[in-house]
């Protein structure tokens, strides 16, 4: 997986960006992306926590901290991180989806499905990538709906698809032939 991660992030460019602007929160959070997608969750957690020490409400760091917690089975911590965001989790589609995934992982499927409804409501006022809905559908075991949302994301040319091949959120779909079909698209 490490080689697949490098396809969308140039490590040298990431290091150079951090050298040029060592206080950049997006730059610092990007350092959590590589270990997250490489399944090195402890490192992703460490990087995300460092960013949140600088800005406790920085959404991108909250998202990747929560996602790493979910992958480690630390569901309560993931939910806590997302709920502590001062309301930002209620309007940020990425965080709404991540909270839905955390709820599903914790066995709270009704709450996870409520997040799908919230994403649909948010999409009435602005673009919400179907990729986020696919994440929650996958987490609650709605495989057909997940693939339908992923096909819509392909049709929309969603930028989020750049990590689809390595995103742990879709690990349970990898054995389905539709996964490879989507990768080819």
């Amino acid at each position: 997986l490490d080689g697949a991660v490098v396809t969308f992030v140039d490590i040298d460019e990431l290091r150079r960006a951090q050298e040029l602007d060592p206080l950049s929160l997006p730059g610092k959070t990007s350092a959590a992306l590589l270990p997250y997608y490489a399944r090195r969750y402890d490192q992703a957690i460490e990087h995300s926590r460092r960013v949140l020490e600088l800005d406790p409400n920085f959404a991108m760091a909250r998202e990747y901290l929560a996602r790493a917690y979910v992958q480690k089975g630390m569901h309560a911590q993931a939910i806590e991180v997302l709920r502590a965001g001062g309301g930002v989790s209620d309007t940020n589609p990425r965080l709404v989806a991540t909270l839905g995934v955390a709820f599903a992982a914790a066995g709270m499927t009704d709450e996870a499905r409520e997040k799908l409804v919230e994403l649909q409501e948010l999409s009435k006022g602005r673009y919400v990538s179907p990729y986020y809905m696919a994440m929650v559908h996958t987490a609650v075991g709605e495989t057909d709906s997940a693939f339908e949302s992923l096909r819509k994301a392909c049709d929309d040319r969603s930028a989020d698809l750049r990590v689809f091949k390595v995103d742990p959120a879709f690990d349970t779909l990898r054995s389905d032939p539709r996964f490879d079909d989507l990768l080819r698209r």
Side-chain angles (χ1 to χ4, degrees):
L1 284 175
D2 287 335
V5 173
V6 175
T7 63
F8 74 93
V9 176
D10 185 312
I11 295 172
D12 292 332
E13 286 180 18
L14 179 61
R15 285 189 187 119
R16 181 73 177 135
Q18 289 176 347
E19 289 170 8
L20 291 172
D21 190 357
L23 299 179
S24 165
L25 296 178
K28 287 185 170 302
T29 305
S30 293
L33 300 179
L34 293 175
Y36 172 75
Y37 289 117
R39 277 68 171 170
R40 293 192 307 258
Y41 302 119
D42 290 330
Q43 289 176 337
I45 289 168
E46 180 184 327
H47 285 292
S48 298
R49 282 183 180 161
R50 278 193 236 144
V51 173
L52 291 173
E53 287 173 5
L54 298 172
D55 182 350
N57 291 317
F58 190 63
M60 186 177 173
R62 284 188 170 289
E63 174 190 0
Y64 281 93
L65 177 58
R67 288 175 119 206
Y69 279 152
V70 166
Q71 294 302 321
K72 286 194 58 136
M74 301 169 70
H75 312 128
Q77 292 88 333
I79 293 167
E80 180 182 330
V81 162
L82 294 165
R83 285 186 166 166
V88 73
S89 296
D90 298 335
T91 58
N92 181 319
R94 295 175 67 99
L95 296 180
V96 171
T98 302
L99 186 54
V101 170
F103 281 146
M108 303 167 67
T109 53
D110 290 340
E111 291 85 347
R113 286 190 177 97
E114 288 174 16
K115 295 302 163 189
L116 281 169
V117 172
E118 285 181 38
L119 289 169
Q120 291 165 349
E121 287 299 313
L122 286 171
S123 73
K124 291 178 182 176
R126 64 178 167 183
Y127 178 74
V128 173
S129 174
Y131 189 89
Y132 307 140
M133 293 181 197
M135 288 172 54
V136 183
H137 283 301
T138 301
V140 296
E142 298 171 351
T143 303
D144 291 338
S145 295
F147 278 110
E148 181 181 328
S149 292
L150 288 165
R151 278 191 295 279
K152 286 179 187 173
C154 283
D155 292 344
D156 290 356
R157 298 186 185 274
S158 173
D160 298 290
L161 288 168
R162 73 192 184 286
V163 296
F164 173 63
K165 182 176 182 178
V166 295
D167 194 337
F170 299 109
D171 282 352
T172 60
L173 302 181
R174 292 183 193 288
S175 63
D176 191 303
R178 294 174 288 183
F179 187 88
D180 289 333
D181 289 341
L182 279 171
L183 284 179
R184 280 189 286 277
R185 278 187 72 190

